[in-house]
Amino acid sequence: MVRTRTVLLLAFCLMLSACGSNGAAQKQSTATEVGNDRAAQQNETSGQVSTPKEGADMATETDKPEAEPDVDKSADPSDEAVKSPDTEAPSEPKYHMNKVYRIVPNDDSVPEKVVLLTFDDGPKDETMINQMIDTLDKHDAKAIFFVNGYRAKEHPELLKLIHDRGQIIGNHSWDHIDLKKESKQKVKEQIGDVQQIVKEATGSEPKFFRPPFGSGGDTVKEVALDHDLLFMTWSNGSLDWESKNKNKPEAVVSNVLEQLHPGSNILMHELPWTVEALDTLLTKLEAKGYGFVDPQLIEPKIR
């Protein structure tokens, strides 16, 4: 009987020992799996695991810390504003217009042999305007495009084109009528309405005024002055508007050269034969030693 109990006791102890070994093995296995999971997570966060699972959401660029841009901390932020074309301060005037509408140097530091290029009666046609400005750009020249209000109303986008391509817009009245024959109120409307439509299209008002037919008078000059406009006619007419010169670009060139003088204020128009003549004309002017004055360098008053 005692022997039987001893055998049963030994069997029970063996069973307990086996259970303990299995539990330890399971604990060790679980710990190993947890350790592996943690290691995998650490690898992923450190960038060692770079291939995401198919269909998984990938981190966006905003999840990553942004690198600080390279900035010259010694630079003055105001320098950029000075360099920007939109904020660049205008240069001091270097020329003025005399009483016969010629361009005159303010002193001996600037060339006397210059001409002022102007085109009246636009804006008409995008192709012609672009061709004219392409030629001006080729010769590094600026010009005043004197516009009529009724044309600008039909094509305000052409005002923006002229402005955006770096050329200057002038006021040529609304209806191209003889302002000398009109009442002061009518003159105010003819000039003021053009100022307004140009400002709406470009953000700035014209600084130059030319009366249609060159016909002004004290009243017209007074109203122009009220708008801070420089009143002018011309001192060199291309005669491109005369019927005998229609479709004759060589006549346009010849007419300008025959009247050429230092400070020539050259009157031309937005016409196909003038567009065709322009490159030859500017080339011949340069060959004679003439430059092209930037209208923005002209004082806003006659003296």
Side-chain angles (χ1 to χ4, degrees):
M1 185 68 178
V2 172
R3 191 172 186 178
T4 299
R5 289 178 178 175
T6 301
V7 172
L8 291 174
L9 182 59
L10 287 172
F12 181 73
C13 290
L14 288 172
M15 289 176 64
L16 288 176
S17 176
C19 290
S21 297
N22 287 340
Q26 290 176 353
K27 289 180 180 179
Q28 183 177 0
S29 175
T30 300
T32 301
E33 291 175 2
V34 170
N36 288 340
D37 288 343
R38 288 177 178 170
Q41 292 173 358
Q42 291 173 353
N43 287 340
E44 288 176 358
T45 56
S46 65
Q48 295 178 12
V49 179
S50 58
T51 306
K53 294 181 181 180
E54 185 177 356
D57 293 333
M58 298 178 64
T60 65
E61 289 298 322
T62 55
D63 294 327
K64 301 175 183 179
E66 295 182 0
E68 184 177 351
D70 294 331
V71 177
D72 183 2
K73 293 183 173 61
S74 64
D76 186 348
S78 63
D79 290 346
E80 290 302 316
V82 172
K83 294 176 183 178
S84 170
D86 293 333
T87 58
E88 186 175 353
S91 300
E92 288 294 322
K94 299 181 183 299
Y95 295 88
H96 65 274
M97 186 170 291
N98 67 16
K99 294 180 180 180
V100 291
Y101 308 112
R102 295 185 180 187
I103 307 303
V104 182
N106 286 353
D107 54 53
D108 295 336
S109 67
V110 290
E112 180 185 15
K113 290 183 70 173
V114 295
V115 300
L116 174 63
L117 304 172
T118 69
F119 303 95
D120 286 12
D121 297 355
K124 297 177 182 177
D125 179 80
E126 180 179 356
T127 299
M128 281 201 296
I129 291 172
N130 274 319
Q131 289 174 343
M132 294 166 77
I133 298 178
D134 286 344
T135 301
L136 293 171
D137 287 347
K138 176 182 175 181
H139 294 269
D140 194 24
K142 301 291 185 183
I144 303 174
F145 288 74
F146 283 104
V147 302
N148 293 124
Y150 77 95
R151 294 188 189 276
K153 184 178 180 180
E154 293 175 358
H155 298 289
E157 74 281 0
L158 297 183
L159 295 177
K160 191 172 188 304
L161 170 64
I162 296 168
H163 177 268
D164 289 351
R165 292 203 60 182
Q167 298 298 324
I168 292 84
I169 296 174
N171 187 325
H172 197 40
S173 84
W174 190 272
D175 287 312
H176 203 284
I177 57 178
D178 188 345
L179 297 178
K180 196 172 184 179
K181 300 177 181 178
E182 302 296 331
S183 67
K184 186 172 184 178
Q185 181 58 37
K186 184 71 171 181
V187 172
K188 286 182 177 180
E189 294 171 358
Q190 287 286 312
I191 295 177
D193 289 352
V194 174
Q195 294 293 94
Q196 183 61 32
I197 197 171
V198 173
K199 184 176 182 180
E200 289 173 356
T202 68
S204 58
E205 295 182 342
K207 301 298 183 185
F208 303 96
F209 174 75
R210 173 177 284 157
F213 317 110
S215 179
D218 292 341
T219 298
V220 178
K221 291 179 180 178
E222 179 185 344
V223 174
L225 184 60
D226 289 342
H227 287 279
D228 297 321
L229 287 160
L230 176 60
F231 178 101
M232 71 173 77
T233 59
W234 58 89
S235 68
N236 184 323
S238 68
L239 304 180
D240 58 356
W241 64 90
E242 292 191 352
S243 58
K244 67 179 181 180
N245 295 322
K246 183 177 181 180
N247 296 321
K248 294 180 180 179
E250 68 280 1
V252 175
V253 175
S254 177
N255 289 332
V256 170
L257 295 182
E258 286 176 4
Q259 305 168 63
L260 185 61
H261 56 268
S264 287
N265 179 353
I266 303 174
L267 167 62
M268 296 176 281
H269 291 78
E270 187 184 324
L271 296 168
W273 47 95
T274 303
V275 175
E276 187 177 348
L278 191 57
D279 186 36
T280 299
L281 174 60
L282 300 192
T283 300
K284 288 182 178 293
L285 288 171
E286 288 173 321
K288 292 179 177 294
Y290 280 83
F292 312 110
V293 66
D294 184 340
Q296 298 176 106
L297 298 180
I298 302 173
E299 288 182 11
K301 61 182 179 179
I302 291 176
R303 63 181 174 93

